[in-house]
Amino acid sequence: MQLYDKDLLSVQEVRELVEKAKAAQEELSQKSQAEVDALVKSIAYAGVRNAKRLAKLAHEETGFGIEADKVIKNIFGSRDVYEHIKEAIKDMKTIGVLEVDEEKKTKKIAIPVGIVAGLIPSTNPTSTAFYKSEISIKAGNAIVFSPHPNARNCILEAVKVIRQAILEAGGNEDLVSAITIPTIQATDTLMKHPDVAMILATG
């Protein structure tokens, strides 16, 4: 049966994206800390390489902010979150056994939540896509984005860059995806989906 209704199409798309994200996250759960870190690093530096281009796209599409400031935000949201800020994620241990206390005979073990729903605003669309992708994958999770309709194109382009970076580092690109038909129904379906464990909402 061919679907023509935009809302129905968007809901179907969400279901398919979540299904692919689930398979990708299961793959990720078998990777070592070093392999996970390689994916995050690849995304971080792809963000830097594409910072100017994505800033221009975001400014042109949304009309918000100053293009030069968006370049800075893109670099901050990709490379700086990864390695430069005080709570940078680069050297954080997030996979497997994190801590062993011989005295108390306890172990602290990292367990991913699974699939994250990421809501992206129109104010900082591309930088948000980068940092949410990085922190989700670093913690062993996949993320499906619901883009703000007024920033759809620049967000989809940022996600395209992120997916390519994941592939280049030997990962499954479905760890990061985005709804291409953004509707209220799609966002609602994503947030309420039984396989979605966490919502990261910005804006």
Side-chain angles (χ1 to χ4, degrees):
M1 185 179 93
Q2 183 69 46
L3 288 175
Y4 296 101
D5 183 277
K6 185 182 177 184
D7 293 335
L8 290 175
L9 283 168
S10 68
V11 167
Q12 180 61 32
E13 182 184 29
V14 168
R15 290 174 181 154
E16 289 171 3
L17 292 175
V18 171
E19 189 178 337
K20 288 178 180 177
K22 188 175 181 180
Q25 192 277 327
E26 285 169 4
E27 268 183 54
L28 185 68
S29 70
Q30 303 303 310
K31 291 188 180 292
S32 66
Q33 183 75 66
E35 289 171 314
V36 170
D37 289 348
L39 298 177
V40 178
K41 181 179 181 180
S42 186
I43 294 168
Y45 283 91
V48 175
R49 288 194 304 274
N50 289 274
K52 288 183 181 178
R53 183 174 69 85
L54 292 172
K56 187 172 191 294
L57 288 174
H59 184 259
E60 285 174 354
E61 186 174 9
T62 66
F64 290 148
I66 297 164
E67 191 177 315
D69 292 343
K70 289 189 177 295
V71 175
I72 294 167
K73 283 183 182 178
N74 283 340
I75 293 169
F76 181 85
S78 54
R79 186 192 63 196
D80 291 359
V81 165
Y82 171 65
E83 68 180 8
H84 286 316
I85 60 173
K86 186 181 177 186
E87 296 297 325
I89 63 175
K90 180 182 175 185
D91 297 320
M92 282 184 185
K93 185 154 176 52
T94 56
I95 305 297
V97 178
L98 304 184
E99 204 175 284
V100 177
D101 189 323
E102 297 292 355
E103 192 178 309
K104 293 180 181 175
K105 299 191 184 328
T106 60
K107 284 182 182 178
K108 190 182 283 185
I109 301 170
I111 305 291
V113 298
I115 301 171
V116 177
L119 278 58
I120 306 185
S122 54
T123 45
N124 299 300
T126 53
S127 57
T128 301
F130 276 90
Y131 89 78
K132 285 187 177 180
S133 296
E134 288 181 27
I135 63 175
S136 294
I137 292 174
K138 178 73 177 183
N141 305 302
I143 187 164
V144 178
F145 287 120
S146 176
H148 192 288
N150 295 342
R152 173 189 174 274
N153 295 334
C154 63
I155 292 167
L156 291 180
E157 187 59 29
V159 168
K160 183 179 172 185
V161 168
I162 292 164
R163 286 168 64 89
Q164 181 61 35
I166 291 168
L167 276 176
E168 287 170 5
N172 186 327
E173 63 184 343
D174 290 327
L175 284 169
V176 178
S177 57
I179 298 165
T180 63
I181 312 166
T183 64
I184 291 168
Q185 288 78 6
T187 303
D188 189 58
T189 300
L190 178 63
M191 292 194 297
K192 292 177 179 175
H193 196 290
D195 287 327
V196 169
M198 180 181 285
I199 299 167
L200 277 179
T202 305

